[in-house]
Amino acid sequence: MILANAFCLFFFLGEEFYEASPYEPVTSRLSDIFRLASIFSGTGADPAVSAKSNHCLDAAKACNLNENCKKLRSSYISICNREISPTERCNRRKCHKALRQFFDRVPSEYTYRMLFCSCQDQACAERRRQTILPSCSYEDKEKPNCLDLRSVCRTDHLCRSRLADFHANCHASYQTLTGCPADNYQACLGSYAGMIGFDMTPNYVDSSPTGIVVSPWCSCRGSGNMEEECEKFLRDFTENPCLRNAIQAFGNGTEVNLSPKNPSFQATQAPRVEKTPSLPDDLSDSTNLGTSIITTCTSVEEQGLKANSSKELSMCFTELTTNIIPGSNKVIRPSSGSCRARPPAALTAVSFLMLKLAL
């Protein structure tokens, strides 16, 4: 009885580790955006020229050339950099709202280039990390416990749905080529960008140009007996092969070329036990079952035993259609080499008796 009550208490007070995403699954691909990313990142160009380029700076310049992108980017930069008081460096709630408007209203061909640009040096990587103005939108005086941060996020229906969507589209899958569910990079990148502007906002943890590590602003310190669950939750960000591969692939402009999910293999034909003559060119494969019968009839005709070939062939095809076992592809072959059916034994005896009487 005590165990049953304890189970019920855990069921009502505990939280599900993963929740179902309320959004429709993303089925489209990022082929066009990956192609643009490939052009802007310099993939295929001179490696020396590409190495000197700051792709994150190029992405910011491209945003400034688009009126909508420039307007909304300037808006969140202004809000997130506005100091409220000496003790309060910004209005975090307004900063988050401005960031959500930017990522929701600006086409991904601009926002993704700023978030996931590839870098060859630390200056570029630092610009990438500063994209969301982390001093206001991301960092805080102290890091809260990740499970506590998850609980706070789940009290807000929109943050809760975005987190569930991230887990649905970015959880590591070891049964796919890319490490992503259904090999869909776009779904993962979109879910990641969708969490920016909430308490669970993720960002790059450092300015390393080589290693890509992202995380929410939290730690597992003070987790108690929930430390294992907390570490598992945090690893979904920090050690996530799907998310890492998606970011690297977009930054390099190298979308994975996937083979069909259900490739059609050519079936190997089993060796035939009995050899049959080849069909004429004008006969379809549907006549395979009667090949030997047709050939036999033709040979009888060629021997001159029957002059009426049309009647003989008619008998052959009649025999072919009546000797197929219902529900099977097997044909009952006649026991004689000729297509003509043998005369009944009684008829043969009567003919022999009449011949004898006549003599």
Side-chain angles (χ1 to χ4, degrees):
M1 186 67 180
I2 297 176
L3 290 176
N5 291 336
F7 176 80
C8 292
L9 182 64
F10 176 77
F11 179 81
F12 286 110
L13 296 182
E15 292 187 51
E16 294 183 18
F17 193 85
Y18 295 124
E19 295 183 324
S21 172
Y23 300 103
E24 292 291 330
V26 177
T27 57
S28 60
R29 297 289 175 180
L30 276 173
S31 299
D32 293 337
I33 301 179
F34 268 76
R35 197 174 299 113
L36 287 174
S38 175
I39 296 173
F40 293 124
S41 66
T43 303
D46 186 355
V49 176
S50 180
K52 295 180 181 179
S53 301
N54 188 325
H55 301 307
C56 296
L57 178 61
D58 295 339
K61 292 179 179 179
C63 177
N64 288 334
L65 295 177
N66 180 274
E67 184 177 354
N68 187 43
C69 185
K70 179 181 179 180
K71 176 183 176 182
L72 291 175
R73 179 170 176 261
S74 299
S75 176
Y76 86 73
I77 289 177
S78 174
I79 294 173
C80 295
N81 277 330
R82 189 178 303 157
E83 185 176 338
I84 304 299
S85 68
T87 58
E88 190 176 3
R89 55 191 172 191
C90 67
N91 188 324
R92 189 165 187 165
R93 183 182 61 82
K94 290 185 177 180
C95 176
H96 278 174
K97 182 179 179 180
L99 279 170
R100 291 198 302 269
Q101 289 178 342
F102 175 76
F103 286 102
D104 288 344
R105 298 179 183 179
V106 176
S108 55
E109 62 184 276
Y110 297 104
T111 60
Y112 284 14
R113 286 183 59 196
M114 296 175 63
L115 271 181
F116 310 125
C117 45
S118 63
C119 290
Q120 303 294 330
D121 55 55
Q122 190 172 354
C124 173
E126 177 61 20
R127 173 176 281 275
R128 179 176 61 188
R129 194 184 72 85
Q130 291 290 337
T131 297
I132 64 170
L133 281 298
S135 60
C136 180
S137 67
Y138 178 67
E139 300 166 0
D140 208 343
K141 296 178 181 178
E142 295 182 0
K143 284 188 176 183
N145 181 271
C146 291
L147 296 183
D148 292 340
L149 186 64
R150 182 183 68 176
S151 298
V152 172
C153 174
R154 286 180 172 177
T155 60
D156 177 79
H157 72 280
L158 191 54
C159 182
R160 184 173 192 163
S161 63
R162 297 291 178 91
L163 178 60
D165 194 56
F166 170 78
H167 282 143
N169 294 317
C170 290
H171 73 267
S173 175
Y174 298 100
Q175 298 178 347
T176 59
L177 180 64
T178 61
C180 290
D183 289 310
N184 196 334
Y185 279 156
Q186 178 179 6
C188 182
L189 294 179
S191 297
Y192 175 90
M195 286 196 301
I196 295 176
F198 295 94
D199 292 319
M200 194 58 71
T201 296
N203 196 30
Y204 299 92
V205 298
D206 55 33
S207 301
S208 172
T210 54
I212 295 179
V213 181
V214 298
S215 172
W217 184 260
C218 66
S219 71
C220 288
R221 189 176 306 164
S223 298
N225 59 357
M226 302 292 288
E227 185 172 1
E228 184 177 350
E229 180 176 347
C230 181
E231 292 289 350
K232 181 181 178 183
F233 175 81
L234 188 57
R235 282 196 301 270
D236 281 341
F237 294 90
T238 59
E239 301 177 21
N240 189 326
C242 169
L243 180 59
R244 183 179 62 250
N245 292 342
I247 294 175
Q248 288 178 336
F250 181 84
N252 297 328
T254 53
E255 187 177 18
V256 175
N257 186 17
L258 301 174
S259 58
K261 293 182 179 179
N262 295 317
S264 56
F265 297 100
Q266 293 183 352
T268 304
Q269 296 182 353
R272 296 183 180 180
V273 178
E274 180 182 352
K275 294 183 179 180
T276 55
S278 301
L279 286 175
D281 294 336
D282 58 343
L283 291 179
S284 65
D285 292 339
S286 61
T287 58
N288 281 346
L289 297 175
T291 303
S292 61
I293 299 177
I294 296 174
T295 306
T296 305
C297 296
T298 305
S299 62
V300 171
E301 181 182 359
E302 289 174 352
Q303 292 176 8
L305 299 180
K306 287 291 178 181
N308 192 344
S309 60
S310 61
K311 187 180 295 184
E312 184 71 11
L313 288 175
S314 175
M315 292 176 62
C316 292
F317 282 111
T318 302
E319 185 177 8
L320 175 65
T321 55
T322 55
N323 283 346
I324 298 179
I325 301 175
S328 173
N329 290 332
K330 296 181 179 179
V331 178
I332 303 176
R333 296 184 180 275
S335 56
S336 173
S338 172
C339 287
R340 185 181 297 276
R342 292 185 178 180
L347 181 59
T348 305
V350 172
S351 301
F352 178 76
L353 182 60
M354 291 179 64
L355 180 61
K356 187 175 183 180
L357 291 175
L359 293 175

